[in-house]
Amino acid sequence: MASATAQHRRLSNAQTESVLEDLRALLGADRVLTGNDVLAQHAVDESFHPAAAPDAVVYPASTEEAAAIVGVCARHKAPIVPFGAGTSLEGHVQALQGGVSIDMREMNRIVRLSIEDLDVTVQAGVTRKQLDAALRPEGVFFPVDPGADATLGGMVSTGASGTTTVRYGAMRENVLSLTVVTADAEIVRTRSRARKSSAGYDLTRLFIGAEGTLGLVCEVTLRVRPTPEAMSAAVCGFPSLRDAVDCVVAVSQHGIPVARIELLDEMLIEAINRYAEMDHTVMPTLFLEFHGTPDEVKAQAAETEEIAVEHGGEGFRWTTDEAERRRMWEARHAAYHATRALRPGTSALTTDACVPVSGLADVIVETRADLDEHDLTGSILGHVGDGNFHVTLLIDGDDPADVERGMRFHDRTVRRALDHGGTSTGEHGVGYGKAAYLELEHGPAAVEMMRAIKRALDPDDIFNPGKIAGAADAGHGSQPG
Ligand SMILES: Cc1cc2nc3c(=O)[nH]c(=O)nc-3n(C[C@H](O)[C@H](O)[C@H](O)COP(=O)(O)OP(=O)(O)OC[C@H]3O[C@@H](n4cnc5c(N)ncnc54)[C@H](O)[C@@H]3O)c2cc1C
């Protein structure tokens, strides 16, 4: 039995050729893609981590076909890398040991929608924007909105969250059930659609955040929410990052059910002013949103404004104008690209620390001071209601010294979060970029438990080898940078 932590195993050319032959027999020669362009597209995510190409790419059209593809790979013990939209940020989709990239984007059907039960079943390749467009006319919405147009299968697999997580929860709170293909090519439904269940181990949550290392997610059943009667957006500047974060903590202590509360530092405000042609005052700023009846959103905005003023907030503005609200959030969602446009041609290194909100102000202020002290170009964006914030650090990927400086900053940021009782990754996941911190965060026994689960479900280590606890330095205490 191959170890789940085996490294750098690769099939020989002859073995790879016989996998491809069997896949061609199954799908037809023209559906097993091996051209350089398609391999390069599937060799890398949106991160700065080095590319690693698969040997072939296939696009299953159904769950049954996906199971047959997994069956072929399993027979040959060939690595499988599930691929969604490739927007992850920690080297998740890099085919470190070659093998077959299974791109789910042709499985993009909304299977069923029940307004009565407020749930929807989609194939794994449906993207969040596609789902949003399908749900909007029905008067419901799905709240998890990562900044990229990710697939639902990818969002399940990274345990994604977004700007409304503070009110509606992340993927873990919004997935009811999954249909997955296991390493022995079985099609398994993880649970029923019932709102609650105490029947056995929670297999659904085992696959949420598994990053394609335990199986292939083919269908996803999600909770949806009625579209609120009224939504209002608000914006408010603060004299300092600490004032803005303290305001967020006070808003949640007052029990105001904000739907979104996001922090943008001065550099990010400047970046989106330029990128999205906006005119926000350049200062630490909160973007907020309130959901409810017209009276409720008005009351929530008024109460929040009072708290903001107590924390030095300036120029609090709020609106129920739909176009203005959408424009504000589109600009916020463009934050990553807006920051990158500050130094064209550079790569982005993103950090993803998350701490209990009581420690957030200290951690963010220390992180900003760290950037300034080391003369690094990076903007801070926070899903601050959840204690989660990102630094998008611009580095010259071709300059080893610049990469090294970036990695050292990344290392300090993770350790600062762990020292404050937090986590190395609030939402992006581990891939292989964060694997070195697993043991530091969880301890050796917990990491060994993760490996035992991996061995039990995927004894030949075919699913996305080299990631999470299967990475070369996962749990070995090595330190990036
Ligand atoms: C500009 C930008 C903004 C972002 N903002 C956010 C944010 O706000 N919140 C957030 O959580 N993330 C964010 N991300 C990260 C990224 O969008 C998420 O991690 C997203 O969930 C990845 O989905 P994907 O479809 O692109 O998956 P991919 O990148 O294709 O894959 C991600 C991982 O999931 C596995 N996988 C994909 N599909 C399947 C499947 N069907 N079955 C099993 N495994 C699968 C892959 O093997 C891989 O390990 C952002 C990224 C960018 C570039």
Side-chain angles (χ1 to χ4, degrees), residues 128 143 145 162-168 231-234 257-262 286-291 325-326 328-330 332-333 385:
R128 74 164 182 85
D145 64 338
T163 56
T164 64
T165 295
V166 62
R167 168 121 181 214
Y168 300 104
M231 294 190 218
S232 73
V258 277
R260 289 169 154 162
I261 187 160
E262 300 269 301
L286 292 179
F287 281 10
L288 303 104
E289 188 167 283
F290 307 101
H291 293 174
R325 188 182 69 82
R326 280 194 178 274
M328 183 179 113
W329 289 110
E330 271 162 25
R332 148 63 191 92
H333 274 128

PDB file of all heavy atoms in Angstrom, residues 128 143 145 162-168 231-234 257-262 286-291 325-326 328-330 332-333 385:
ATOM      1  N   ARG A 128     -20.112  30.453  -9.203  1.00  0.00           N
ATOM      2  CA  ARG A 128     -20.970  31.205  -8.277  1.00  0.00           C
ATOM      3  C   ARG A 128     -21.775  32.280  -9.015  1.00  0.00           C
ATOM      4  O   ARG A 128     -22.921  32.531  -8.672  1.00  0.00           O
ATOM      5  CB  ARG A 128     -20.170  31.783  -7.112  1.00  0.00           C
ATOM      6  CG  ARG A 128     -19.306  32.960  -7.447  1.00  0.00           C
ATOM      7  CD  ARG A 128     -18.867  33.692  -6.193  1.00  0.00           C
ATOM      8  NE  ARG A 128     -18.079  34.859  -6.539  1.00  0.00           N
ATOM      9  CZ  ARG A 128     -18.588  36.039  -6.839  1.00  0.00           C
ATOM     10  NH1 ARG A 128     -19.898  36.235  -6.837  1.00  0.00           N
ATOM     11  NH2 ARG A 128     -17.792  37.047  -7.151  1.00  0.00           N
ATOM     12  N   PRO A 143     -25.390  32.764  -0.512  1.00  0.00           N
ATOM     13  CA  PRO A 143     -24.619  33.876   0.049  1.00  0.00           C
ATOM     14  C   PRO A 143     -23.095  33.791  -0.074  1.00  0.00           C
ATOM     15  O   PRO A 143     -22.441  34.811   0.081  1.00  0.00           O
ATOM     16  CB  PRO A 143     -25.017  33.843   1.535  1.00  0.00           C
ATOM     17  CG  PRO A 143     -25.438  32.443   1.811  1.00  0.00           C
ATOM     18  CD  PRO A 143     -25.974  31.896   0.528  1.00  0.00           C
ATOM     19  N   ASP A 145     -19.659  34.165  -1.469  1.00  0.00           N
ATOM     20  CA  ASP A 145     -19.226  34.909  -2.662  1.00  0.00           C
ATOM     21  C   ASP A 145     -17.731  35.212  -2.668  1.00  0.00           C
ATOM     22  O   ASP A 145     -17.312  36.359  -2.510  1.00  0.00           O
ATOM     23  CB  ASP A 145     -20.014  36.234  -2.757  1.00  0.00           C
ATOM     24  CG  ASP A 145     -19.692  37.161  -1.575  1.00  0.00           C
ATOM     25  OD1 ASP A 145     -19.225  36.653  -0.534  1.00  0.00           O
ATOM     26  OD2 ASP A 145     -19.853  38.383  -1.714  1.00  0.00           O
ATOM     27  N   GLY A 162     -16.840  34.288   2.118  1.00  0.00           N
ATOM     28  CA  GLY A 162     -16.883  35.532   1.347  1.00  0.00           C
ATOM     29  C   GLY A 162     -17.326  36.695   2.197  1.00  0.00           C
ATOM     30  O   GLY A 162     -17.234  36.646   3.431  1.00  0.00           O
ATOM     31  N   THR A 163     -17.831  37.715   1.529  1.00  0.00           N
ATOM     32  CA  THR A 163     -18.121  38.952   2.245  1.00  0.00           C
ATOM     33  C   THR A 163     -19.335  38.834   3.167  1.00  0.00           C
ATOM     34  O   THR A 163     -19.463  39.603   4.112  1.00  0.00           O
ATOM     35  CB  THR A 163     -18.356  40.112   1.252  1.00  0.00           C
ATOM     36  OG1 THR A 163     -19.408  39.737   0.359  1.00  0.00           O
ATOM     37  CG2 THR A 163     -17.118  40.447   0.455  1.00  0.00           C
ATOM     38  N   THR A 164     -20.254  37.901   2.885  1.00  0.00           N
ATOM     39  CA  THR A 164     -21.460  37.818   3.728  1.00  0.00           C
ATOM     40  C   THR A 164     -21.366  36.708   4.777  1.00  0.00           C
ATOM     41  O   THR A 164     -22.349  36.396   5.447  1.00  0.00           O
ATOM     42  CB  THR A 164     -22.722  37.554   2.870  1.00  0.00           C
ATOM     43  OG1 THR A 164     -22.573  36.283   2.250  1.00  0.00           O
ATOM     44  CG2 THR A 164     -22.944  38.619   1.832  1.00  0.00           C
ATOM     45  N   THR A 165     -20.186  36.129   4.929  1.00  0.00           N
ATOM     46  CA  THR A 165     -20.026  35.021   5.883  1.00  0.00           C
ATOM     47  C   THR A 165     -20.354  35.457   7.308  1.00  0.00           C
ATOM     48  O   THR A 165     -20.872  34.678   8.107  1.00  0.00           O
ATOM     49  CB  THR A 165     -18.592  34.466   5.755  1.00  0.00           C
ATOM     50  OG1 THR A 165     -18.483  33.913   4.447  1.00  0.00           O
ATOM     51  CG2 THR A 165     -18.296  33.383   6.782  1.00  0.00           C
ATOM     52  N   VAL A 166     -20.081  36.709   7.618  1.00  0.00           N
ATOM     53  CA  VAL A 166     -20.357  37.208   8.966  1.00  0.00           C
ATOM     54  C   VAL A 166     -21.838  37.006   9.332  1.00  0.00           C
ATOM     55  O   VAL A 166     -22.167  36.747  10.479  1.00  0.00           O
ATOM     56  CB  VAL A 166     -19.924  38.705   9.068  1.00  0.00           C
ATOM     57  CG1 VAL A 166     -20.696  39.586   8.104  1.00  0.00           C
ATOM     58  CG2 VAL A 166     -20.050  39.225  10.471  1.00  0.00           C
ATOM     59  N   ARG A 167     -22.722  37.038   8.322  1.00  0.00           N
ATOM     60  CA  ARG A 167     -24.145  36.857   8.626  1.00  0.00           C
ATOM     61  C   ARG A 167     -24.658  35.459   8.274  1.00  0.00           C
ATOM     62  O   ARG A 167     -25.466  34.888   8.994  1.00  0.00           O
ATOM     63  CB  ARG A 167     -24.952  37.913   7.858  1.00  0.00           C
ATOM     64  CG  ARG A 167     -26.435  37.676   7.852  1.00  0.00           C
ATOM     65  CD  ARG A 167     -27.208  38.811   8.442  1.00  0.00           C
ATOM     66  NE  ARG A 167     -28.620  38.546   8.439  1.00  0.00           N
ATOM     67  CZ  ARG A 167     -29.548  39.461   8.268  1.00  0.00           C
ATOM     68  NH1 ARG A 167     -29.208  40.722   8.072  1.00  0.00           N
ATOM     69  NH2 ARG A 167     -30.815  39.141   8.310  1.00  0.00           N
ATOM     70  N   TYR A 168     -24.205  34.923   7.112  1.00  0.00           N
ATOM     71  CA  TYR A 168     -24.828  33.700   6.594  1.00  0.00           C
ATOM     72  C   TYR A 168     -23.939  32.457   6.688  1.00  0.00           C
ATOM     73  O   TYR A 168     -24.367  31.370   6.323  1.00  0.00           O
ATOM     74  CB  TYR A 168     -25.247  33.898   5.133  1.00  0.00           C
ATOM     75  CG  TYR A 168     -26.247  35.010   4.937  1.00  0.00           C
ATOM     76  CD1 TYR A 168     -25.869  36.243   4.406  1.00  0.00           C
ATOM     77  CD2 TYR A 168     -27.590  34.832   5.283  1.00  0.00           C
ATOM     78  CE1 TYR A 168     -26.781  37.269   4.225  1.00  0.00           C
ATOM     79  CE2 TYR A 168     -28.518  35.860   5.100  1.00  0.00           C
ATOM     80  CZ  TYR A 168     -28.099  37.069   4.574  1.00  0.00           C
ATOM     81  OH  TYR A 168     -29.015  38.080   4.404  1.00  0.00           O
ATOM     82  N   MET A 231     -32.017  46.085   0.941  1.00  0.00           N
ATOM     83  CA  MET A 231     -30.570  45.987   1.212  1.00  0.00           C
ATOM     84  C   MET A 231     -30.014  47.401   1.142  1.00  0.00           C
ATOM     85  O   MET A 231     -30.377  48.149   0.219  1.00  0.00           O
ATOM     86  CB  MET A 231     -29.863  45.175   0.140  1.00  0.00           C
ATOM     87  CG  MET A 231     -30.245  43.734   0.082  1.00  0.00           C
ATOM     88  SD  MET A 231     -29.105  42.876  -1.015  1.00  0.00           S
ATOM     89  CE  MET A 231     -30.223  41.751  -1.803  1.00  0.00           C
ATOM     90  N   SER A 232     -29.175  47.743   2.081  1.00  0.00           N
ATOM     91  CA  SER A 232     -28.539  49.047   1.961  1.00  0.00           C
ATOM     92  C   SER A 232     -27.038  48.868   2.147  1.00  0.00           C
ATOM     93  O   SER A 232     -26.587  47.964   2.867  1.00  0.00           O
ATOM     94  CB  SER A 232     -29.100  50.022   2.995  1.00  0.00           C
ATOM     95  OG  SER A 232     -28.626  49.686   4.269  1.00  0.00           O
ATOM     96  N   ALA A 233     -26.292  49.716   1.469  1.00  0.00           N
ATOM     97  CA  ALA A 233     -24.837  49.667   1.576  1.00  0.00           C
ATOM     98  C   ALA A 233     -24.374  50.941   2.261  1.00  0.00           C
ATOM     99  O   ALA A 233     -25.013  51.989   2.135  1.00  0.00           O
ATOM    100  CB  ALA A 233     -24.225  49.561   0.194  1.00  0.00           C
ATOM    101  N   ALA A 234     -23.291  50.838   3.004  1.00  0.00           N
ATOM    102  CA  ALA A 234     -22.762  52.028   3.665  1.00  0.00           C
ATOM    103  C   ALA A 234     -21.242  52.025   3.576  1.00  0.00           C
ATOM    104  O   ALA A 234     -20.621  50.966   3.412  1.00  0.00           O
ATOM    105  CB  ALA A 234     -23.185  52.042   5.134  1.00  0.00           C
ATOM    106  N   PRO A 257     -27.156  42.835  13.076  1.00  0.00           N
ATOM    107  CA  PRO A 257     -26.922  41.719  12.139  1.00  0.00           C
ATOM    108  C   PRO A 257     -26.396  42.198  10.782  1.00  0.00           C
ATOM    109  O   PRO A 257     -27.045  42.022   9.752  1.00  0.00           O
ATOM    110  CB  PRO A 257     -28.310  41.095  12.006  1.00  0.00           C
ATOM    111  CG  PRO A 257     -29.257  42.220  12.239  1.00  0.00           C
ATOM    112  CD  PRO A 257     -28.581  43.195  13.165  1.00  0.00           C
ATOM    113  N   VAL A 258     -25.193  42.809  10.772  1.00  0.00           N
ATOM    114  CA  VAL A 258     -24.644  43.281   9.489  1.00  0.00           C
ATOM    115  C   VAL A 258     -24.501  42.102   8.537  1.00  0.00           C
ATOM    116  O   VAL A 258     -24.130  41.003   8.952  1.00  0.00           O
ATOM    117  CB  VAL A 258     -23.249  43.957   9.637  1.00  0.00           C
ATOM    118  CG1 VAL A 258     -23.357  45.385  10.041  1.00  0.00           C
ATOM    119  CG2 VAL A 258     -22.354  43.168  10.548  1.00  0.00           C
ATOM    120  N   ALA A 259     -24.786  42.348   7.262  1.00  0.00           N
ATOM    121  CA  ALA A 259     -24.646  41.278   6.268  1.00  0.00           C
ATOM    122  C   ALA A 259     -23.235  41.254   5.695  1.00  0.00           C
ATOM    123  O   ALA A 259     -22.750  40.211   5.250  1.00  0.00           O
ATOM    124  CB  ALA A 259     -25.656  41.474   5.151  1.00  0.00           C
ATOM    125  N   ARG A 260     -22.593  42.422   5.676  1.00  0.00           N
ATOM    126  CA  ARG A 260     -21.207  42.496   5.202  1.00  0.00           C
ATOM    127  C   ARG A 260     -20.513  43.601   5.982  1.00  0.00           C
ATOM    128  O   ARG A 260     -21.124  44.659   6.218  1.00  0.00           O
ATOM    129  CB  ARG A 260     -21.157  42.886   3.721  1.00  0.00           C
ATOM    130  CG  ARG A 260     -21.622  41.808   2.775  1.00  0.00           C
ATOM    131  CD  ARG A 260     -21.799  42.380   1.378  1.00  0.00           C
ATOM    132  NE  ARG A 260     -21.650  41.361   0.357  1.00  0.00           N
ATOM    133  CZ  ARG A 260     -22.090  41.494  -0.885  1.00  0.00           C
ATOM    134  NH1 ARG A 260     -22.683  42.586  -1.290  1.00  0.00           N
ATOM    135  NH2 ARG A 260     -21.915  40.513  -1.753  1.00  0.00           N
ATOM    136  N   ILE A 261     -19.266  43.375   6.356  1.00  0.00           N
ATOM    137  CA  ILE A 261     -18.488  44.449   6.978  1.00  0.00           C
ATOM    138  C   ILE A 261     -17.027  44.192   6.639  1.00  0.00           C
ATOM    139  O   ILE A 261     -16.404  43.267   7.142  1.00  0.00           O
ATOM    140  CB  ILE A 261     -18.791  44.565   8.494  1.00  0.00           C
ATOM    141  CG1 ILE A 261     -18.112  45.776   9.099  1.00  0.00           C
ATOM    142  CG2 ILE A 261     -18.480  43.307   9.257  1.00  0.00           C
ATOM    143  CD1 ILE A 261     -18.735  46.237  10.432  1.00  0.00           C
ATOM    144  N   GLU A 262     -16.510  44.968   5.722  1.00  0.00           N
ATOM    145  CA  GLU A 262     -15.189  44.711   5.141  1.00  0.00           C
ATOM    146  C   GLU A 262     -14.279  45.906   5.358  1.00  0.00           C
ATOM    147  O   GLU A 262     -14.698  47.060   5.184  1.00  0.00           O
ATOM    148  CB  GLU A 262     -15.337  44.475   3.632  1.00  0.00           C
ATOM    149  CG  GLU A 262     -16.217  43.291   3.288  1.00  0.00           C
ATOM    150  CD  GLU A 262     -15.433  42.012   3.150  1.00  0.00           C
ATOM    151  OE1 GLU A 262     -14.530  41.950   2.306  1.00  0.00           O
ATOM    152  OE2 GLU A 262     -15.749  41.067   3.909  1.00  0.00           O
ATOM    153  N   LEU A 286     -14.428  51.219   6.113  1.00  0.00           N
ATOM    154  CA  LEU A 286     -15.306  50.044   6.182  1.00  0.00           C
ATOM    155  C   LEU A 286     -16.365  50.145   5.096  1.00  0.00           C
ATOM    156  O   LEU A 286     -16.971  51.206   4.920  1.00  0.00           O
ATOM    157  CB  LEU A 286     -16.001  49.956   7.549  1.00  0.00           C
ATOM    158  CG  LEU A 286     -15.142  49.665   8.766  1.00  0.00           C
ATOM    159  CD1 LEU A 286     -15.997  49.648  10.032  1.00  0.00           C
ATOM    160  CD2 LEU A 286     -14.400  48.328   8.621  1.00  0.00           C
ATOM    161  N   PHE A 287     -16.568  49.044   4.371  1.00  0.00           N
ATOM    162  CA  PHE A 287     -17.718  48.890   3.477  1.00  0.00           C
ATOM    163  C   PHE A 287     -18.706  47.991   4.226  1.00  0.00           C
ATOM    164  O   PHE A 287     -18.318  46.924   4.716  1.00  0.00           O
ATOM    165  CB  PHE A 287     -17.322  48.188   2.181  1.00  0.00           C
ATOM    166  CG  PHE A 287     -16.644  49.053   1.156  1.00  0.00           C
ATOM    167  CD1 PHE A 287     -16.220  50.343   1.447  1.00  0.00           C
ATOM    168  CD2 PHE A 287     -16.423  48.560  -0.137  1.00  0.00           C
ATOM    169  CE1 PHE A 287     -15.588  51.122   0.483  1.00  0.00           C
ATOM    170  CE2 PHE A 287     -15.796  49.333  -1.106  1.00  0.00           C
ATOM    171  CZ  PHE A 287     -15.373  50.616  -0.797  1.00  0.00           C
ATOM    172  N   LEU A 288     -19.960  48.405   4.295  1.00  0.00           N
ATOM    173  CA  LEU A 288     -20.943  47.619   5.050  1.00  0.00           C
ATOM    174  C   LEU A 288     -22.192  47.365   4.214  1.00  0.00           C
ATOM    175  O   LEU A 288     -22.473  48.092   3.255  1.00  0.00           O
ATOM    176  CB  LEU A 288     -21.390  48.368   6.314  1.00  0.00           C
ATOM    177  CG  LEU A 288     -20.312  48.770   7.298  1.00  0.00           C
ATOM    178  CD1 LEU A 288     -20.017  50.256   7.188  1.00  0.00           C
ATOM    179  CD2 LEU A 288     -20.759  48.458   8.712  1.00  0.00           C
ATOM    180  N   GLU A 289     -22.944  46.357   4.626  1.00  0.00           N
ATOM    181  CA  GLU A 289     -24.249  46.123   3.991  1.00  0.00           C
ATOM    182  C   GLU A 289     -25.223  45.621   5.057  1.00  0.00           C
ATOM    183  O   GLU A 289     -24.838  44.879   5.978  1.00  0.00           O
ATOM    184  CB  GLU A 289     -24.116  45.087   2.874  1.00  0.00           C
ATOM    185  CG  GLU A 289     -25.394  44.956   2.058  1.00  0.00           C
ATOM    186  CD  GLU A 289     -25.156  44.177   0.767  1.00  0.00           C
ATOM    187  OE1 GLU A 289     -24.584  44.763  -0.184  1.00  0.00           O
ATOM    188  OE2 GLU A 289     -25.533  42.996   0.711  1.00  0.00           O
ATOM    189  N   PHE A 290     -26.483  46.034   4.915  1.00  0.00           N
ATOM    190  CA  PHE A 290     -27.524  45.621   5.853  1.00  0.00           C
ATOM    191  C   PHE A 290     -28.664  44.976   5.071  1.00  0.00           C
ATOM    192  O   PHE A 290     -29.013  45.455   3.989  1.00  0.00           O
ATOM    193  CB  PHE A 290     -28.063  46.837   6.616  1.00  0.00           C
ATOM    194  CG  PHE A 290     -26.982  47.653   7.269  1.00  0.00           C
ATOM    195  CD1 PHE A 290     -26.528  48.836   6.683  1.00  0.00           C
ATOM    196  CD2 PHE A 290     -26.378  47.216   8.441  1.00  0.00           C
ATOM    197  CE1 PHE A 290     -25.509  49.576   7.265  1.00  0.00           C
ATOM    198  CE2 PHE A 290     -25.361  47.950   9.033  1.00  0.00           C
ATOM    199  CZ  PHE A 290     -24.917  49.133   8.442  1.00  0.00           C
ATOM    200  N   HIS A 291     -29.233  43.920   5.607  1.00  0.00           N
ATOM    201  CA  HIS A 291     -30.359  43.228   4.962  1.00  0.00           C
ATOM    202  C   HIS A 291     -31.555  43.196   5.905  1.00  0.00           C
ATOM    203  O   HIS A 291     -31.381  43.008   7.115  1.00  0.00           O
ATOM    204  CB  HIS A 291     -29.989  41.772   4.631  1.00  0.00           C
ATOM    205  CG  HIS A 291     -28.933  41.628   3.584  1.00  0.00           C
ATOM    206  ND1 HIS A 291     -28.391  40.411   3.241  1.00  0.00           N
ATOM    207  CD2 HIS A 291     -28.314  42.557   2.800  1.00  0.00           C
ATOM    208  CE1 HIS A 291     -27.486  40.585   2.291  1.00  0.00           C
ATOM    209  NE2 HIS A 291     -27.412  41.877   2.011  1.00  0.00           N
ATOM    210  N   ARG A 325     -25.052  50.313  -4.826  1.00  0.00           N
ATOM    211  CA  ARG A 325     -24.653  49.211  -3.949  1.00  0.00           C
ATOM    212  C   ARG A 325     -23.814  48.191  -4.729  1.00  0.00           C
ATOM    213  O   ARG A 325     -22.747  47.763  -4.302  1.00  0.00           O
ATOM    214  CB  ARG A 325     -25.906  48.549  -3.365  1.00  0.00           C
ATOM    215  CG  ARG A 325     -25.639  47.512  -2.293  1.00  0.00           C
ATOM    216  CD  ARG A 325     -26.931  46.873  -1.820  1.00  0.00           C
ATOM    217  NE  ARG A 325     -27.521  46.025  -2.845  1.00  0.00           N
ATOM    218  CZ  ARG A 325     -27.156  44.772  -3.095  1.00  0.00           C
ATOM    219  NH1 ARG A 325     -26.218  44.211  -2.383  1.00  0.00           N
ATOM    220  NH2 ARG A 325     -27.730  44.075  -4.069  1.00  0.00           N
ATOM    221  N   ARG A 326     -24.319  47.807  -5.906  1.00  0.00           N
ATOM    222  CA  ARG A 326     -23.598  46.816  -6.720  1.00  0.00           C
ATOM    223  C   ARG A 326     -22.226  47.336  -7.132  1.00  0.00           C
ATOM    224  O   ARG A 326     -21.244  46.607  -7.127  1.00  0.00           O
ATOM    225  CB  ARG A 326     -24.403  46.467  -7.985  1.00  0.00           C
ATOM    226  CG  ARG A 326     -25.492  45.477  -7.696  1.00  0.00           C
ATOM    227  CD  ARG A 326     -26.097  44.844  -8.933  1.00  0.00           C
ATOM    228  NE  ARG A 326     -27.098  43.891  -8.499  1.00  0.00           N
ATOM    229  CZ  ARG A 326     -26.845  42.626  -8.169  1.00  0.00           C
ATOM    230  NH1 ARG A 326     -25.645  42.131  -8.283  1.00  0.00           N
ATOM    231  NH2 ARG A 326     -27.805  41.836  -7.737  1.00  0.00           N
ATOM    232  N   MET A 328     -20.335  49.456  -5.611  1.00  0.00           N
ATOM    233  CA  MET A 328     -19.416  49.454  -4.473  1.00  0.00           C
ATOM    234  C   MET A 328     -18.842  48.049  -4.252  1.00  0.00           C
ATOM    235  O   MET A 328     -17.634  47.867  -4.083  1.00  0.00           O
ATOM    236  CB  MET A 328     -20.165  49.921  -3.224  1.00  0.00           C
ATOM    237  CG  MET A 328     -19.311  50.036  -2.008  1.00  0.00           C
ATOM    238  SD  MET A 328     -20.297  50.625  -0.622  1.00  0.00           S
ATOM    239  CE  MET A 328     -20.261  49.178   0.410  1.00  0.00           C
ATOM    240  N   TRP A 329     -19.717  47.027  -4.328  1.00  0.00           N
ATOM    241  CA  TRP A 329     -19.228  45.665  -4.056  1.00  0.00           C
ATOM    242  C   TRP A 329     -18.434  45.110  -5.221  1.00  0.00           C
ATOM    243  O   TRP A 329     -17.522  44.301  -5.038  1.00  0.00           O
ATOM    244  CB  TRP A 329     -20.381  44.742  -3.641  1.00  0.00           C
ATOM    245  CG  TRP A 329     -20.850  45.117  -2.268  1.00  0.00           C
ATOM    246  CD1 TRP A 329     -22.044  45.709  -1.936  1.00  0.00           C
ATOM    247  CD2 TRP A 329     -20.107  45.008  -1.044  1.00  0.00           C
ATOM    248  NE1 TRP A 329     -22.082  45.963  -0.581  1.00  0.00           N
ATOM    249  CE2 TRP A 329     -20.919  45.536  -0.007  1.00  0.00           C
ATOM    250  CE3 TRP A 329     -18.849  44.512  -0.712  1.00  0.00           C
ATOM    251  CZ2 TRP A 329     -20.511  45.574   1.332  1.00  0.00           C
ATOM    252  CZ3 TRP A 329     -18.434  44.558   0.611  1.00  0.00           C
ATOM    253  CH2 TRP A 329     -19.264  45.081   1.612  1.00  0.00           C
ATOM    254  N   GLU A 330     -18.755  45.541  -6.436  1.00  0.00           N
ATOM    255  CA  GLU A 330     -17.925  45.110  -7.571  1.00  0.00           C
ATOM    256  C   GLU A 330     -16.501  45.643  -7.397  1.00  0.00           C
ATOM    257  O   GLU A 330     -15.521  44.950  -7.652  1.00  0.00           O
ATOM    258  CB  GLU A 330     -18.514  45.598  -8.891  1.00  0.00           C
ATOM    259  CG  GLU A 330     -19.515  44.606  -9.470  1.00  0.00           C
ATOM    260  CD  GLU A 330     -20.431  45.220 -10.507  1.00  0.00           C
ATOM    261  OE1 GLU A 330     -20.053  46.223 -11.134  1.00  0.00           O
ATOM    262  OE2 GLU A 330     -21.563  44.698 -10.669  1.00  0.00           O
ATOM    263  N   ARG A 332     -15.088  46.351  -4.569  1.00  0.00           N
ATOM    264  CA  ARG A 332     -14.477  45.579  -3.479  1.00  0.00           C
ATOM    265  C   ARG A 332     -13.996  44.219  -4.000  1.00  0.00           C
ATOM    266  O   ARG A 332     -12.911  43.748  -3.666  1.00  0.00           O
ATOM    267  CB  ARG A 332     -15.499  45.437  -2.334  1.00  0.00           C
ATOM    268  CG  ARG A 332     -15.452  44.187  -1.514  1.00  0.00           C
ATOM    269  CD  ARG A 332     -14.158  44.008  -0.743  1.00  0.00           C
ATOM    270  NE  ARG A 332     -14.066  42.677  -0.167  1.00  0.00           N
ATOM    271  CZ  ARG A 332     -13.489  41.634  -0.759  1.00  0.00           C
ATOM    272  NH1 ARG A 332     -12.905  41.759  -1.930  1.00  0.00           N
ATOM    273  NH2 ARG A 332     -13.457  40.476  -0.163  1.00  0.00           N
ATOM    274  N   HIS A 333     -14.821  43.590  -4.848  1.00  0.00           N
ATOM    275  CA  HIS A 333     -14.423  42.288  -5.373  1.00  0.00           C
ATOM    276  C   HIS A 333     -13.229  42.397  -6.325  1.00  0.00           C
ATOM    277  O   HIS A 333     -12.556  41.408  -6.587  1.00  0.00           O
ATOM    278  CB  HIS A 333     -15.615  41.615  -6.071  1.00  0.00           C
ATOM    279  CG  HIS A 333     -16.479  40.833  -5.107  1.00  0.00           C
ATOM    280  ND1 HIS A 333     -17.835  40.986  -5.017  1.00  0.00           N
ATOM    281  CD2 HIS A 333     -16.162  39.899  -4.196  1.00  0.00           C
ATOM    282  CE1 HIS A 333     -18.308  40.168  -4.075  1.00  0.00           C
ATOM    283  NE2 HIS A 333     -17.307  39.498  -3.570  1.00  0.00           N
ATOM    284  N   GLY A 385     -15.457  41.079  10.166  1.00  0.00           N
ATOM    285  CA  GLY A 385     -16.490  40.522  11.041  1.00  0.00           C
ATOM    286  C   GLY A 385     -16.165  39.094  11.456  1.00  0.00           C
ATOM    287  O   GLY A 385     -16.606  38.607  12.501  1.00  0.00           O
TER     288      GLY A 385
END
